[in-house]
Amino acid sequence: MSLSKFLPKTSPPEPDFCPGLPAVLRAEAGGDPAGWASTHRETVRRLVAEYGAVLVRGLGLADQTAVAAVFGRLTDLLMTEREAFAPRAAYPGGVHSSTEWPPNQPMCMHHELSYTLEFPGLLLFACVSPPSSGGVTGVSDSTAVLASLPADLRARFEQDGWLLTRSFNDEIGASVAEAFGTEDRSAIEDYCRANRIEFEWQSEGGLRTRQRRHAIVGHPVTGQRCWFNQIAFLNEWTMAPEVHEYLVDIYGADGLPFNTRFGNGDPIGEDVVQLLNEVYEEHTVREPWQAGDLLLVDNVRTAHSRDAYEGPREVLVGLADPVRLSDCSLASEGKTQ
């Protein structure tokens, strides 16, 4: 089913709504995407809150300058990334490149920086140049994903949370400096202590960290229960088999650049990761990128992914409107974890 259902220009900027599909909005910017964003900011923000994601088509975003101007008009605050799991370039105006990830390897569903204590509440993706094939940024409603998980698995993750383990090196994933914005050990240790991250310096100078987080949170505005994490994405079993075999051979099973476990430290089996990815796929919606598109995503309510692709692809990213994890507690758990 096509997602491109648009209202006529004379109507208020409201998309047609089809249950389970993201809103798609036609923008007739007249060569002034920043002006259109200023005029329609409140409407676009309301639609993101209502549907979880909005694709704005027709803005004509052709370069970093135009993207930065639109991002600035649609957001309250653009963030600097911390604790990145893979490198990305930072440009003026709070604009970032997409995460550096092999084009032939998909990025499965996840919520950006969901392992941090402060994360973006809003994500913006601007397609300057679509690839020749693939490369779609899919979206998935985290409330629907949560409702579809087996009750026993849902209960365990709600009780134990999830654990992210990282082993930083200069070859795979983000380096220590890229993740923490500094090479100063004291500053890194201070950051880890302030953000409830256990850390251990290795004899060769590397860093290993562990952080336990909620797997299910309450939406900071609506209070809806949301499946909010990167359990499947950063787990060893989501890697392509040949990549997993190579990394284990080089770094050992305990030295993978990143991996996830149940919050009590128990391993997460391949069957659980497969189940999570299958449930995500059941609720994933995809719309191929067109040049100039803008996708806005509620980062708590909606997970996102990236399909494998061929050909050059330039999608610029904004991490906006920071939210504290402490503002996402479920009523039953308080704010103690």
Side-chain angles (χ1 to χ4, degrees):
M1 179 183 296
S2 173
L3 305 183
S4 302
K5 296 185 176 182
F6 307 115
L7 294 179
K9 181 179 179 181
T10 55
S11 300
E14 292 284 337
D16 289 341
F17 174 70
C18 296
L21 301 183
V24 184
L25 198 61
R26 170 72 69 179
E28 300 195 16
D32 182 16
W36 186 95
S38 294
T39 299
H40 300 294
R41 170 191 162 105
E42 295 307 316
T43 296
V44 172
R45 297 289 302 235
R46 175 177 56 79
L47 293 174
V48 174
E50 184 175 355
Y51 299 135
V54 175
L55 178 65
V56 181
R57 178 152 286 166
L59 276 179
L61 298 173
D63 54 45
Q64 293 174 19
T65 300
V67 170
V70 168
F71 283 5
R73 283 161 175 77
L74 291 176
T75 64
D76 296 325
L77 177 66
L78 289 159
M79 301 172 57
T80 298
E81 186 177 33
R82 286 290 181 267
E83 300 184 52
F85 66 85
R88 70 164 95 229
Y91 304 119
V95 176
H96 296 78
S97 70
S98 298
T99 300
E100 295 179 16
W101 197 262
N104 65 336
Q105 298 292 325
M107 300 174 70
C108 81
M109 281 292 171
H110 62 284
H111 298 263
E112 201 73 22
L113 297 176
S114 54
Y115 47 82
T116 64
L117 294 188
E118 184 175 76
F119 44 81
L122 178 69
L123 304 176
L124 304 95
F125 301 92
C127 181
V128 174
S129 177
S132 56
S133 65
V136 174
T137 299
V139 292
S140 181
D141 188 328
S142 64
T143 62
V145 170
L146 178 62
S148 298
L149 294 177
D152 57 342
L153 184 64
R154 188 167 61 237
R156 179 166 189 187
F157 275 119
E158 185 160 15
Q159 175 179 308
D160 295 341
W162 65 294
L163 183 70
L164 172 65
T165 62
R166 302 185 68 175
S167 294
F168 294 88
N169 59 67
D170 293 325
E171 299 174 347
I172 303 293
S175 67
V176 170
E178 288 167 332
F180 295 99
T182 180
E183 294 181 342
D184 182 86
R185 284 199 176 194
S186 295
I188 293 168
E189 292 173 2
D190 288 344
Y191 179 93
C192 288
R193 292 188 187 99
N195 288 273
R196 302 206 310 263
I197 302 172
E198 300 174 17
F199 62 90
E200 179 183 3
W201 295 101
Q202 304 299 295
S203 57
E204 72 280 5
L207 175 67
R208 289 188 178 180
T209 62
R210 291 162 48 98
Q211 54 212 91
R212 179 174 178 251
R213 297 293 185 254
H214 293 299
I216 302 169
V217 303
H219 192 280
V221 176
T222 67
Q224 287 179 291
R225 291 163 55 84
C226 298
W227 179 250
F228 178 74
N229 54 71
Q230 287 172 234
I231 292 168
F233 179 38
L234 296 181
N235 188 273
E236 60 180 314
W237 299 118
T238 294
M239 301 176 188
E242 64 275 14
V243 174
H244 180 263
E245 181 179 355
Y246 169 79
L247 292 177
V248 170
D249 183 57
I250 296 296
Y251 298 107
D254 294 329
L256 294 173
F258 40 77
N259 200 4
T260 60
R261 292 174 172 264
F262 288 105
N264 66 352
D266 289 347
I268 296 175
E270 185 175 5
D271 59 332
V272 172
V273 175
Q274 181 179 349
L275 171 65
L276 294 176
N277 285 325
E278 288 174 352
V279 172
Y280 275 130
E281 184 61 30
E282 290 174 4
H283 298 283
T284 295
V285 184
R286 295 177 174 87
E287 173 77 352
W289 283 115
Q290 294 183 16
D293 280 352
L294 174 67
L295 176 67
L296 299 95
V297 176
D298 180 328
N299 187 40
V300 178
R301 177 177 164 185
T302 306
H304 69 279
S305 62
R306 191 220 69 192
D307 293 351
Y309 65 92
E310 295 181 353
R313 176 184 187 269
E314 186 176 9
V315 175
L316 300 177
V317 180
L319 313 173
D321 303 350
V323 173
R324 297 286 299 177
L325 181 61
S326 58
D327 294 328
C328 298
S329 296
L330 298 170
S332 60
E333 67 189 12
K335 300 184 177 182
T336 59
Q337 185 170 327

